Amino acid sequence: MSRNARVLVVDDDENIRKVVIAILEDEGYIVESAATAKEAIEKSKRKFFNIALIDIRLPDMEGIELLTKIKDTTPRMRKIIVTGYPTLQNAVDAVNKGADAYIVKPFDVKNVLKTIYEQLNRQEAEKKYSQDRVADFIQARVRELDIENDIAQKGK
Amino acid sequence: MPQDHFAKVLLAAIDEGLSSLGDSPRQAILYHLEASFQLKKNDIPKNLTGFKQALERIFGAGAPYIEKIIAQSFYAKLGLDFQEVQDTDLVLSVSNAKRRIVHAGEVKIDE
């Protein structure tokens, strides 16, 4: 599953976008990018992304703010904040606004790939949980229908 | 196109469509279709209306979304363009696909 995952890279620095895209595509991920928060929001509305890598400073919005604006999906998109200015407050704010992980620039490629891989595994586990809930719903619903049928039959 | 091949393609599309919910839900649906709706998987192409009604009873307003995924998969497997409409009716979509194939003169479906 991981190798078909779709990643959205959100960074206003074109060089960084190019480097990250190259690294991720080399690993087999399907990658798109956005230079602004607005572009990221638009893309997330039109396409499904497993993961978003979001720079903490964007020209039109703080990356942490974008966490709450980007479209929610099922399974839930994993959001990773990327920052060259790591502070404890940033990390706390990021987690409180819904970030799943935090990556510090300059990039340690191994760490980036490991973080993405871990997030995809968690997403897969969530997806499996959701599917089990759907299966439970089907079972419960059919049981309900069987009871309705029994009542209807007895009423005849 | 022999009828049984058409049915096989439809069954494959149904499998694919139900798999979009996940493997556990797909298995649950097929199990309960047989156990509670007396509809075996291989009989679905012969009783598509029954299958559609079962999906509606189980999923309510969610059923059309599943029908649409199945219809899209079915059309893709037949090499036909799927024309998206507001309310995709699976029975109608399959019937239209059959008509288009026969009308195109490429193949004849034996009834």
Side-chain angles (χ1 to χ4, degrees), chain A residues 93-156:
Chain A
D93 288 345
V95 168
N96 284 341
K97 290 277 171 89
D100 296 289
Y102 198 79
I103 290 176
V104 175
K105 287 193 253 191
F107 292 117
D108 176 322
V109 174
K110 275 187 186 166
N111 185 41
V112 170
L113 294 174
K114 181 169 170 265
T115 303
I116 289 174
Y117 187 73
E118 281 169 1
Q119 290 303 316
L120 287 173
N121 280 344
R122 289 188 198 181
Q123 189 180 63
E124 195 59 28
E126 275 181 22
K127 188 169 144 187
K128 175 78 177 59
Y129 178 80
S130 296
Q131 287 173 2
D132 289 344
R133 296 290 71 74
V134 172
D136 288 344
F137 162 78
I138 292 164
Q139 192 166 349
R141 179 65 189 135
V142 170
R143 221 178 271 148
E144 203 179 344
L145 290 172
D146 284 343
I147 292 171
E148 283 174 16
N149 282 341
D150 284 345
I151 292 172
Q153 287 296 323
K154 282 175 185 161
K156 283 185 182 169

Side-chain angles (χ1 to χ4, degrees), chain B residues 1-10 78:
Chain B
M1 178 185 293
Q3 178 68 4
D4 61 349
H5 180 68
F6 197 82
K8 271 186 189 154
V9 173
L10 179 53
L78 292 174

Side-chain angles (χ1 to χ4, degrees), chain A residues 44-103:
Chain A
S44 74
K45 283 180 186 171
R46 283 186 280 113
K47 290 183 185 180
F48 174 79
F49 293 97
N50 298 85
I51 293 206
L53 289 175
I54 302 170
D55 187 58
I56 205 166
R57 299 238 190 283
L58 295 168
D60 53 345
M61 192 185 289
E62 289 295 306
I64 289 176
E65 204 52 43
L66 177 57
L67 292 171
T68 61
K69 304 270 190 266
I70 214 159
K71 188 181 185 303
D72 265 325
T73 56
T74 303
R76 191 177 60 78
M77 184 198 297
R78 312 306 287 200
K79 297 162 197 156
I80 301 173
I81 283 287
V82 180
T83 180
Y85 314 97
T87 65
L88 182 57
Q89 191 57 51
N90 274 344
V92 169
D93 288 345
V95 168
N96 284 341
K97 290 277 171 89
D100 296 289
Y102 198 79
I103 290 176

